Amino acid sequence: EAGVVQSPRYKIIEKKQPVAFWCNPISGHNTLYWYRQNLGQGPELLIRYENEEAVDDSQLPKDRFSAERLKGVDSTLKIQPAELGDSAVYLCASSLEVVHEQYFGPGTRLTVT
Amino acid sequence: AQSVTQLDSHVSVSEGTPVLLRCNYSSSYSPSLFWYVQHPNKGLQLLLKYTSAATLVKGINGFEAEFKKSETSFHLTKPSAHMSDAAEYFCVVSNTGFQKLVFGTGTRLLVSP
C-alpha cells in the first residue's frame, strides 16, 4: 500500500515569494492533516480536513496561508508571501477517519532566504 | 489544555543496553498517549499507543511504554538498543477522539557501537 506522498521534498525560495506544497493521502483516507514542524520542535497542526471540509483551521495563519482539498482527495497548502519565519518542515498526514491512526508523509523542507 | 514534556532532549546509549525515554503529560481528562519515531528524511511512524486499556503497552520493534496516572508519566523503554533505533522520538497526547495530536519537543536517541 502506497503511503502519504508529498512534493516537493525540498524547496528554497526568497522571502515575499509564493510557495505551494502538495499532498496525496493514502487511498480511502477521509481525514487529512497539515502540520508544521519547526527546527528542534514537534509538529503543530495547521489544518484538518474531513473530506472536502476544513473542520479545524484555528492554527492556520490566514493572512498568508491557504489550503484546499478539492474533491476530498489530494490537498495543496500555499504560502503567499513567504517570510523568513516560515522556514520549517511541512508534514501531511492522513487517517481513515478522525478517530483512527494518522499516517505521515516524509514532509517538505522549506527554506526561506 | 493538554501538553507533554519530554524530559531529555538527547539520550545516548550503547548498542545492547536498555533505552529509557521519559515523558510526562498534562491533561484535564483521560488522555490518549502515543509515541512516534522519526528517522531522518522519513515520515513519522507510530510506535505504540495507550487508549485507556492495559497500562503496559507493547509496540513495534521491541518498544513498550507504561501509563502511570499517579505520576502522569508515559515513559518509553526497550531492553536492548539496536543501531537502527537511532532517531528522534516524540511523545504525543490527544483527547479520546484523536482529533488533535499535541507533540512534545522530541528526544534524539543516539546509539553507539
Side-chain angles (χ1 to χ4, degrees):
Chain A
E1 177 183 273
V4 176
V5 179
Q6 291 187 246
S7 69
R9 293 293 313 277
Y10 305 91
K11 189 73 175 180
I12 301 174
I13 61 171
E14 294 182 346
K15 62 181 181 182
K16 302 184 180 179
Q17 295 300 306
V19 65
F21 315 123
W22 177 79
C23 172
N24 191 37
I26 293 172
S27 177
H29 281 195
N30 295 325
T31 307
L32 184 146
Y33 312 77
W34 282 103
Y35 289 83
R36 177 169 59 188
Q37 184 176 14
N38 292 315
L39 186 64
Q41 302 294 317
E44 294 179 318
L45 180 69
L46 290 174
I47 189 169
R48 173 169 63 93
Y49 281 93
E50 291 184 17
N51 298 304
E52 308 86 20
E53 184 180 358
V55 295
D56 182 358
D57 63 354
S58 57
Q59 300 303 311
L60 189 72
K62 298 181 182 62
D63 56 336
R64 297 183 300 107
F65 285 66
S66 64
E68 60 183 11
R69 191 184 185 199
L70 300 175
K71 301 181 181 179
V73 182
D74 56 351
S75 175
T76 302
L77 178 69
K78 298 178 181 178
I79 308 175
Q80 183 171 9
E83 296 179 352
L84 294 176
D86 296 331
S87 295
V89 176
Y90 291 83
L91 297 166
C92 180
S94 70
S95 63
L96 193 60
E97 300 286 347
V98 68
V99 296
H100 294 113
E101 176 185 345
Q102 295 182 29
Y103 293 83
F104 285 80
T108 297
R109 182 176 296 276
L110 173 67
T111 302
V112 182
T113 63
Chain B
Q2 303 165 97
S3 66
V4 288
T5 301
Q6 293 187 242
L7 301 175
D8 306 291
S9 60
H10 294 80
V11 170
S12 295
V13 301
S14 299
E15 191 174 23
T17 63
V19 175
L20 170 63
L21 305 183
R22 299 182 295 165
C23 173
N24 287 348
Y25 71 90
S26 174
S27 179
S28 54
Y29 38 79
S30 296
S32 294
L33 292 159
F34 311 77
W35 277 98
Y36 278 81
V37 61
Q38 188 175 38
H39 290 273
N41 298 316
K42 292 190 177 180
L44 286 154
Q45 181 183 18
L46 180 66
L47 277 179
L48 50 81
K49 61 183 177 182
Y50 165 78
T51 55
S52 74
T55 56
L56 183 61
V57 182
K58 295 187 182 298
I60 61 172
N61 300 334
F63 284 93
E64 64 181 36
E66 186 172 7
F67 174 73
K68 291 186 177 181
K69 186 175 181 179
S70 60
E71 299 177 9
T72 62
S73 68
F74 191 58
H75 300 336
L76 182 70
T77 60
K78 183 174 181 178
S80 177
H82 191 272
M83 295 296 290
S84 61
D85 294 328
E88 189 88 16
Y89 291 79
F90 292 95
C91 182
V92 183
V93 64
S94 174
N95 59 11
T96 54
F98 301 162
Q99 292 180 12
K100 184 171 182 177
L101 302 182
V102 177
F103 285 74
T105 53
T107 297
R108 181 166 297 277
L109 177 64
L110 306 170
V111 183
S112 57

